Amino acid sequence: MPDEIETLREEMEATSIENEEEAEAFRIKFLGRNQGAIPALFDQIEDLPPEERPEFGRRVNALKEQAQEQLDTARARLEREQQAGAADIDLTLPGRRDFQGSTHPLTQTMEQILRILRGLGFTTYEGPEIETDWHNFTALNFPPDHPARDMQDTFFLDAASEDEEPPVLRTHTSPGQIRIMQENTPPIRVAVPGRVYRNEAISYKSFCLFHQVELLYVDEGVTMAQLKQVLYSLARALFGDDVTLRFRPSYFPFTEPSAEVDVWWEDDEGEDGGQWMEILGCGMVHPNVFDSVDVDPERYTGYAVGMGVERMAMLRHGIDDIRVFYENDVRFLDQF
Ligand code: DAH
């Protein structure tokens, strides 16, 4: 005879509970106070002969306990699964950083220099990085085979033919002066920013490539006093109003007289400690240079300046090794 309790037990055991809706459906179907199958069995007790009632009641009770256990176990399992799923998101992890690019510190310094110069009336001109020997040396009054050419270790490129001079990677921005004066007539007031190259041993203070900004001002009656005034304006804007400059007599083939300019750099400790740091070369344009570009040296005078951008950036940011500008280490670049 089919046993109603056993049939129900089989049906119950075959019922899977995979989510909270199924758990609730199970509870209503088997244990629900109103229509539930197991409470309905209890109602049948009254119809049984008295001697069968205890045994029937004990078995229905056992079935009810089994149903409750099946439901509790399933619900506990569902909860565990839900927590395990949530554990895929680790709320203790630091947020993902949004990496943002920034302008290279050399570019920043270069742009600042040019911005200040624009305010002082200088336009900008960019010459080629591959130069003729003539623009880089000869027109700037470096005589052929003169030891002055050794001042700058040069990268020579292959010549186009045996009759021609090999081109050079420009060793300074001064050939920009020549190109500007070839293409324009005075008055000329221009800044030439750009990369320059030198075949030098690489160290903390020199690299095979670096940046310069050249200044050229040519007009009637240009004086060295004007040169000093412009350099003071530039230095104050770059380093602060209390900057101290020192002009030292020097030699460059393309200027006469020539000077090098140092800035007084206080030690971090302040007090009396500090040192002079060279920041640029300058001077009055040599008459031979005017001759090479057909500018009349009897009528015009001019001043020229060449400054190292790396040196300026190193001073401004307290950097003591030029090579860091070219390593592209994000930990360095990130600071600017
Ligand atoms: N061209 C020089 C150099 O690279 C720097 C320089 C010195 C430029 C004096 C000038 C100048 O215009 O007047 O070493």
Side-chain angles (χ1 to χ4, degrees):
M1 178 187 117
D3 183 320
E4 216 180 330
I5 294 175
E6 279 315 305
T7 311
L8 198 55
R9 186 196 309 283
E10 277 165 28
E11 189 188 343
M12 207 175 78
E13 287 174 354
T15 305
S16 74
I17 302 173
E18 295 303 334
N19 52 47
E20 186 46 45
E21 289 80 60
E22 288 177 6
E24 187 57 8
F26 179 97
R27 187 190 68 75
I28 291 167
K29 178 171 180 185
F30 296 104
L31 296 164
R33 230 173 270 284
N34 287 333
Q35 312 270 303
I38 294 169
L41 284 176
F42 280 117
D43 293 342
Q44 294 181 20
I45 287 187
E46 290 172 17
D47 304 333
L48 289 173
E51 64 278 14
E52 289 178 21
R53 290 180 189 174
E55 170 66 2
F56 186 84
R58 190 189 57 73
R59 290 181 60 212
V60 176
N61 255 329
L63 183 66
K64 184 186 168 195
E65 273 170 32
Q66 186 182 335
Q68 191 62 53
E69 196 183 313
Q70 188 175 338
L71 183 63
D72 290 347
T73 307
R75 281 202 158 127
R77 176 172 51 78
L78 288 175
E79 184 149 329
R80 268 199 315 277
E81 282 171 4
Q82 204 179 21
Q83 278 172 358
D88 288 348
I89 305 163
D90 183 349
L91 296 176
T92 67
L93 279 178
R96 226 168 263 173
R97 253 183 85 193
D98 204 3
F99 282 102
Q100 209 173 15
S102 61
T103 315
H104 194 281
L106 282 181
T107 309
Q108 287 180 20
T109 302
M110 178 79 99
E111 283 175 354
Q112 197 191 355
I113 292 171
L114 293 175
R115 199 159 47 237
I116 296 164
L117 289 171
R118 220 167 290 136
L120 294 170
F122 288 84
T123 53
T124 304
Y125 169 90
E126 285 185 62
E129 291 179 22
I130 295 174
E131 266 297 5
T132 66
D133 188 276
W134 188 82
H135 284 90
N136 196 80
F137 293 120
T138 309
L140 287 163
N141 198 34
F142 289 77
D145 304 321
H146 190 276
R149 287 187 190 225
D150 294 341
M151 284 171 70
Q152 304 179 345
D153 307 287
T154 310
F155 284 112
F156 291 95
L157 304 180
D158 288 339
S161 75
E162 279 188 10
D163 315 322
E164 278 170 56
E165 292 268 14
V168 302
L169 293 181
R170 69 176 172 199
T171 58
H172 50 177
T173 42
S174 302
Q177 293 183 34
I178 302 303
R179 291 186 177 272
I180 292 154
M181 288 192 282
Q182 284 181 310
E183 293 165 20
N184 301 276
T185 51
I188 291 168
R189 193 184 337 224
V190 76
V192 188
R195 290 180 162 212
V196 302
Y197 301 83
R198 301 233 180 132
N199 190 4
E200 282 186 279
I202 290 169
S203 73
Y204 71 94
K205 58 178 180 175
S206 50
F207 199 64
C208 51
L209 98 94
F210 54 99
H211 295 74
Q212 290 186 332
V213 176
E214 191 87 8
L215 300 188
L216 178 70
Y217 177 38
V218 180
D219 201 351
E220 292 178 14
V222 175
T223 67
M224 194 132 185
Q226 292 172 344
L227 165 62
K228 278 186 95 167
Q229 187 52 51
V230 155
L231 292 180
Y232 265 107
S233 302
L234 177 64
R236 286 198 194 105
L238 272 178
F239 300 118
D241 281 343
D242 51 356
V243 70
T244 310
L245 298 183
R246 177 174 78 174
F247 287 71
R248 256 183 309 112
S250 184
Y251 171 75
F252 299 99
F254 37 90
T255 43
E256 182 59 35
S258 304
E260 281 174 303
V261 173
D262 306 327
V263 60
W264 178 251
W265 210 255
E266 302 252 314
D267 286 346
D268 284 345
E269 299 82 45
E271 303 299 319
D272 307 320
Q275 54 184 318
W276 291 106
M277 305 280 245
E278 184 197 323
I279 52 167
L280 57 87
C282 62
M284 301 304 290
V285 178
H286 198 289
N288 290 355
V289 174
F290 282 143
D291 278 338
S292 70
V293 288
D294 293 327
V295 170
D296 181 1
E298 299 295 328
R299 181 173 173 197
Y300 294 107
T301 51
Y303 63 70
V305 181
M307 67 193 96
V309 178
E310 277 76 356
R311 177 57 69 86
M312 301 281 193
M314 288 166 83
L315 286 173
R316 287 176 66 217
H317 299 300
I319 296 164
D320 54 13
D321 190 328
I322 192 173
R323 292 169 292 196
V324 294
F325 290 121
Y326 296 94
E327 283 165 357
N328 286 329
D329 186 329
V330 175
R331 290 167 300 178
F332 169 72
L333 298 175
D334 228 14
Q335 300 173 49
F336 301 94

